[in-house]
Amino acid sequence: MRVEELERVGAEQVRLSRASVGDTLRVAATVLLPTVAQGLVIRRRLVTLAGRWWQPDARAVRLMQRLRGRYGGGALLLRNPGRCWALALSTDAVRTVLAETEPYSPASTAKIAALSHFQPHGVLITRGALRAPRRAVNELALDTDLPVHHLAGSITAKIDEEIGPLRDQLGGRLGWDRFAAAYWRAVRRIVLGDGARDDDELLDLLAMLRRDANWAGLRPRQDRLRLRFRRRLDTHLARREPGSLAALLPPPEPVVDPYGQVPHWLFAYDAAGATVFRTLAMLATHPAQRVWAAADLRPGESPHRLPRLRACVLETLRLWPTTPAILRESGGPTRWDGGRLPARTSFLVYAPFFHRDDQTLPYAHRFEPARWIDGDGHDEWSTVSFSAGPGRCPGRNLVLLTTTAILAALLREREPRLLSYPTLSPDRPLPVGLDHFGLRFRLAE
């Protein structure tokens, strides 16, 4: 079959093949089902624990490598009796579906069914004319176009106050639950202000809504619970506390709903916390990279620009992307390989496949953060930790500022040691899945 250029998108030509019934079932059982079972909106701890031994992401990557060998690059149309699904098998296919929001909308039907449980007005699930003003609200508050957020001083100060004491408590021993408690105090102060520091109930309510969101449309929305969460959130936002992200939002109004964007910020910070712990595991077990990154912690270095720690975070996100399934849905018919796919076709980019493809990436299972410094690390269409194109995460730089500041607060005058399973080493391939809940450390003097 000959490759044809997509109508309405100036992307490179991409081939689309049709999977057999057997291969479609294998994709469902090996890629889709385990990804959903682990929790797309909030991680299920027991399933994640089981994944330590099962390693479902590794199985999924191997299957997709076999599918690419069988069907070639491009995208693979799955034989689904209902809605059309296409699985990206090449970076050209990734570029095609992520390069434009029309006709490939980030607001897929599946994503709307899930995220509307707690953020029905979030930009990520907004279609049509409202998407642009809602995106603008996010970009303004999150300083999307700036390499360092203008509130960096306030953000790092709050992080130092909440995270720094963990170095000295309990002899420097640190597990996920203790870290998460301090981490969320810092996040609430960053997003909502100091008045929200101790409001654990706010995030408890959000967690309940996110657990429902894991089931998407299979579980009815709890409108009363969501209203309770929203009223509590709006109380904090209404203070517009100076030095917080809340103060950067425009006044509330019902159409664009600026306050309605904030639940996604809190949701996204959950994944950022997991990345901090995984990065700490890499630095605890890779002494050469730890010494290399420690240059950011020398006296006189800017606390807001930590390029080596930032590179460590980016490399950890490559190894363990926190959004494994990136979804797009076509708003109209599209042409692939001389044929037409109908409107509302769902396209899936499975990030671990592109990040851990050891058939094309010699460093696939190694921790090599220096690649992000020398310019060899970033390819927008193969490393999609923050998605790519116009649907790219508007909080990317803010998340990187926060995570690197947290690592600096933990590592200053300390050497991390990993106390828990699994055994991680620069001398062996890193696992494709890593359960952050089970990681335990000692921050030694």
Side-chain angles (χ1 to χ4, degrees):
M1 291 186 294
R2 245 194 106 69
V3 180
E4 289 194 18
E5 202 171 68
L6 283 175
E7 295 179 342
R8 303 179 62 188
V9 180
E12 294 185 16
Q13 297 177 340
V14 183
R15 173 178 178 150
L16 185 141
S17 302
R18 293 180 180 271
S20 66
V21 172
D23 283 335
T24 296
L25 293 175
R26 291 183 188 95
V27 170
T30 308
V31 180
L32 298 177
L33 183 59
T35 302
V36 172
Q38 291 179 78
L40 289 172
V41 181
I42 188 170
R43 290 291 184 180
R44 297 181 172 101
R45 292 186 73 154
L46 289 179
V47 179
T48 305
L49 175 64
R52 293 187 196 179
W53 295 274
W54 181 28
Q55 287 292 308
D57 294 333
R59 295 170 185 262
V61 169
R62 289 195 295 270
L63 171 64
M64 292 187 64
Q65 287 174 330
R66 293 196 298 271
L67 293 174
R68 181 179 57 197
R70 186 172 303 151
Y71 296 100
L76 183 63
L77 183 63
L78 305 178
R79 294 184 181 273
N80 180 33
R83 180 188 302 275
C84 285
W85 278 82
L87 181 65
L89 292 178
S90 71
T91 54
D92 284 347
V94 173
R95 180 187 296 110
T96 295
V97 298
L98 299 185
E100 298 291 342
T101 58
E102 291 293 340
Y104 302 98
S105 171
S108 67
T109 300
K111 201 179 296 181
I112 291 172
L115 300 186
S116 59
H117 280 272
F118 64 94
Q119 52 169 46
H121 295 165
V123 66
L124 197 61
I125 56 173
T126 298
R127 293 172 171 168
L130 271 177
R131 185 182 186 280
R134 286 179 176 168
R135 175 82 184 189
V137 165
N138 283 272
E139 292 184 348
L140 178 65
L142 303 178
D143 275 355
T144 299
D145 294 333
L146 297 182
V148 178
H149 199 283
H150 78 274
L151 293 180
S154 172
I155 290 169
T156 54
K158 293 170 182 177
I159 286 170
D160 286 340
E161 291 168 7
E162 299 294 346
I163 303 296
L166 295 176
R167 292 176 302 182
D168 301 314
Q169 296 171 0
L170 300 179
R173 292 181 179 269
L174 186 63
W176 173 256
D177 289 336
R178 284 190 62 244
F179 169 77
Y183 173 75
W184 283 114
R185 287 195 297 269
V187 168
R188 287 191 294 266
R189 292 177 65 190
I190 291 167
V191 176
L192 303 172
D194 293 349
R197 177 186 185 270
D198 299 315
D199 191 356
D200 293 327
E201 185 177 351
L202 176 73
L203 294 182
D204 290 342
L205 293 171
L206 179 58
M208 286 188 279
L209 292 167
R210 289 172 60 198
R211 282 192 284 271
D212 285 344
N214 270 346
W215 295 93
L218 297 178
R219 181 165 291 181
R221 283 186 282 183
Q222 298 191 59
D223 292 334
R224 289 185 179 179
L225 180 63
R226 182 169 60 82
L227 181 60
R228 182 180 164 197
F229 162 73
R230 180 62 190 267
R231 285 174 174 169
R232 196 174 189 96
L233 176 64
D234 286 359
T235 298
H236 292 301
L237 292 170
R239 288 197 312 272
R240 303 181 63 82
E241 189 173 307
S244 70
L245 299 181
L248 307 178
L249 288 168
E253 55 88 8
V255 179
V256 174
D257 189 13
Y259 288 8
Q261 310 310 305
V262 178
H264 192 82
W265 302 355
L266 298 172
F267 162 47
Y269 262 124
D270 193 4
T275 299
V276 169
F277 240 44
R278 290 176 180 138
T279 306
L280 197 59
M282 290 296 93
L283 294 173
T285 56
H286 291 69
Q289 286 84 350
R290 181 172 66 247
V291 171
W292 175 81
D296 279 357
L297 305 178
R298 292 178 301 200
E301 295 294 322
S302 170
H304 309 149
R305 297 181 183 273
L306 306 170
R308 296 190 179 197
L309 284 175
R310 180 186 177 104
C312 291
V313 171
L314 286 167
E315 182 69 346
T316 299
L317 282 166
R318 180 191 67 81
L319 289 164
W320 298 288
T322 55
T323 304
I326 300 174
L327 299 176
R328 294 292 186 267
E329 184 172 292
S330 60
T334 55
R335 292 189 67 84
W336 290 70
D337 194 32
R340 291 175 71 86
L341 289 181
R344 301 184 67 193
T345 295
S346 295
F347 295 86
L348 170 62
V349 176
Y350 183 66
F353 170 58
F354 297 98
H355 294 197
R356 290 299 199 98
D357 182 12
D358 55 11
Q359 293 179 354
T360 61
L361 302 177
Y363 52 82
H365 306 307
R366 299 199 303 265
F367 180 64
E368 295 191 0
R371 295 184 312 102
W372 296 90
I373 296 292
D374 61 22
D376 188 42
H378 181 60
D379 172 1
E380 187 177 19
W381 309 113
S382 62
T383 305
V384 286
S385 305
F386 292 93
S387 191
R392 188 184 196 188
C393 173
R396 178 182 186 272
N397 288 331
L398 177 62
V399 166
L400 292 172
L401 167 67
T402 304
T403 50
T404 54
I406 292 171
L407 287 166
L410 291 172
L411 294 173
R412 201 167 286 117
E413 300 178 355
R414 293 293 185 274
E415 182 176 302
R417 297 175 184 173
L418 183 64
L419 305 178
S420 58
Y421 178 90
T423 300
L424 304 171
S425 167
D427 300 322
R428 64 176 68 181
L430 292 167
V432 181
L434 182 62
D435 172 21
H436 64 282
F437 294 119
L439 296 174
R440 291 182 293 106
F441 302 94
R442 181 168 179 258
L443 304 175
E445 296 188 53

